[in-house]
Amino acid sequence: MSLQDDIAQTRAEALAAFDAAGGKGDAAALEAARIKYIGANGLVKAFMKRLGEVPKDQKPAVGQALNALKDELTNAHDAAKSRLGAAAPKSVSAFDVTEPLPPERQPALGKLHPLTRTVNELRDLLRALGFEVVEGPEVEDERHNFDDLNIPPDHPSRDSFDTFFLSKDALLRSQTSTVQVRMMETRKPPLRVIAPGRVYRPDIIDATHHSTFHQVEGLCVDMGVSMADLKGTLQLFVEGLFGEGTRIRFRPSFFPFTEPSAEMDCSCPACSGIGCNVCKQTGWVELGGCGMVDPAVFEAINHARGDKAYDPEVWSGFAFGFWIERLAMRRHGITDIRRFLENDLRFLRQI
Ligand code: DAH
């Protein structure tokens, strides 16, 4: 075949190849065609090299025809490429990963339950005061829930109206004070622990009572620990939780496992102690109980351990127990304890 015939045939093939690749949006095929026909080692280049075969008088015409072919194929390639470009944005915009989702398709972001947040806050505060966070089981025996806490067999809290018994000697703990016993049984003094956790009482449920609630227990045992240490610790604790300037007061009370014992109140966070609905116009709200560990508890622990690790002549300690719901209610102005367990998202979203 003469060079002129080859040129004509290649022209037709190349135009068809560029057109097809552009039409299909096939960038790889277009690039392959470019290399094959108009690339540095492509067919057009090869034709140029064959100009020597052409009789002299026809050379200018064939040369011109080759230049024209190169231009035509380059234009055809560019046109096909711009068809690719036009198709491309469509496929990109269909999958723009940076585009924000419309509100109805946004994933729902959860947040922590108000009780969890209160526990996290008080845990951080007490950790900063040197307390370690520990846990105890919710299913307990009578010894840990009562006996070793100096709660005698005839105490009303041991009545089935006041404790959920699972069997003769298995119960749902009614206080986190059980963890005091568990810690002292297994560790030697000095000791500085807090134990947040869930407790259970068969109480009649109303705005301030529930069968399931949470407490945080604190225990510090060391040499020469006094009521002043207890008061100072709790003062820092309430200021951290409710803000600087919050005052505390101890009211004499009785708990079998502490002597002396006190109920602790703090100045009402809602009105700063002036008097409002939250504090029933008294200026004070009750947070929980506290006191100095009763030596009888140390003796019970020594008995259980079979040693004298907690010699009351050497060691003293303070303990406290707060209702976490109460702390959260005071903090957020919640007036009904039932809200915490109802799972009503309208309530939970507000806090
Ligand atoms: N466990 C007590 C209760 O549930 C609260 C309590 C009072 C805990 C005094 C203490 C304490 O550690 O010292 O009523």
Side-chain angles (χ1 to χ4, degrees):
M1 253 206 286
S2 72
L3 181 56
Q4 283 91 329
D5 291 339
D6 284 348
I7 289 171
Q9 193 184 335
T10 300
R11 175 180 173 273
E13 275 175 21
L15 289 175
F18 288 141
D19 189 51
K24 277 190 269 174
D26 187 342
L30 181 62
E31 180 60 4
R34 185 191 68 76
I35 291 168
K36 178 174 176 187
Y37 297 107
I38 50 176
N41 296 311
L43 287 176
V44 174
K45 256 275 155 56
F47 291 149
M48 303 262 189
K49 285 182 190 154
R50 282 172 60 193
L51 262 182
E53 298 171 10
V54 179
K56 219 174 180 173
D57 58 329
Q58 294 175 22
K59 255 187 198 156
V62 177
Q64 267 176 19
L66 271 179
N67 281 335
L69 174 66
K70 195 180 165 207
D71 290 344
E72 189 182 9
L73 294 187
T74 302
N75 287 339
H77 166 266
D78 292 351
K81 192 161 184 178
S82 64
R83 282 164 73 195
L84 283 187
K90 241 185 252 150
S91 60
V92 169
S93 74
F95 209 81
D96 181 358
V97 289
T98 65
E99 193 179 339
L101 286 173
E104 69 278 8
R105 289 186 55 208
Q106 302 235 346
L109 273 188
K111 60 179 184 180
L112 294 175
H113 190 279
L115 287 179
T116 309
R117 278 162 49 200
T118 307
V119 170
N120 289 351
E121 278 173 30
L122 62 87
R123 188 196 56 196
D124 291 348
L125 281 167
L126 289 162
R127 254 198 209 144
L129 294 174
F131 287 84
E132 180 194 346
V133 182
V134 295
E135 287 191 328
E138 290 177 22
V139 175
E140 268 293 4
D141 54 28
E142 288 202 73
R143 184 165 73 78
H144 289 90
N145 203 77
F146 298 119
D147 298 315
D148 286 1
L149 286 166
N150 198 30
I151 300 175
D154 56 353
H155 193 277
S157 66
R158 298 180 76 136
D159 197 284
S160 60
F161 290 110
D162 289 302
T163 298
F164 282 115
F165 283 90
L166 302 174
S167 67
K168 204 171 165 300
D169 191 33
L171 49 88
L172 294 178
R173 69 176 176 189
S174 58
Q175 52 184 352
T176 46
S177 303
T178 52
V179 190
Q180 289 192 35
V181 178
R182 291 202 169 265
M183 282 299 118
M184 288 192 278
E185 266 176 5
T186 51
R187 296 191 192 180
K188 287 189 165 167
L191 205 61
R192 211 179 284 188
V193 291
I194 56 160
R198 189 170 291 167
V199 299
Y200 304 87
R201 289 182 197 175
D203 279 350
I204 291 170
I205 296 174
D206 61 21
T208 52
H209 297 87
H210 211 290
S211 57
T212 306
F213 58 103
H214 300 77
Q215 293 184 331
V216 57
E217 193 77 15
L219 173 68
C220 167
V221 181
D222 210 326
M223 289 183 192
V225 171
S226 75
M227 199 90 175
D229 298 310
L230 170 63
K231 203 161 186 182
T233 303
L234 295 182
Q235 176 68 45
L236 286 173
F237 173 63
V238 294
E239 286 202 36
L241 212 54
F242 298 117
E244 234 170 276
T246 309
R247 285 162 294 132
I248 60 170
R249 75 172 181 190
F250 283 4
R251 279 178 293 115
S253 184
F254 173 78
F255 297 100
F257 38 89
T258 43
E259 179 60 32
S261 304
E263 302 266 358
M264 195 194 87
D265 301 339
C266 77
S267 53
C268 177
C271 65
S272 306
I274 298 163
C276 68
N277 283 346
V278 173
C279 59
K280 300 196 186 81
Q281 310 303 331
T282 63
W284 296 95
V285 289
E286 191 182 322
L287 294 184
C290 60
M292 301 305 293
V293 178
D294 194 312
V297 173
F298 284 152
E299 296 293 6
I301 298 293
N302 286 337
H303 183 258
R305 291 175 57 96
D307 62 14
K308 202 117 177 67
Y310 286 82
D311 183 348
E313 298 300 323
V314 178
W315 302 98
S316 56
F318 66 73
F320 56 86
F322 295 138
W323 280 246
I324 293 172
E325 275 78 355
R326 265 191 214 159
L327 297 175
M329 287 165 85
R330 309 293 183 237
R331 200 153 151 56
H332 298 289
I334 299 162
T335 49
D336 195 324
I337 196 172
R338 290 169 288 199
R339 300 284 167 266
F340 289 113
L341 286 181
E342 283 169 346
N343 236 358
D344 184 341
L345 292 180
R346 287 171 308 173
F347 162 74
L348 295 172
R349 281 197 187 111
Q350 282 177 56
I351 296 180

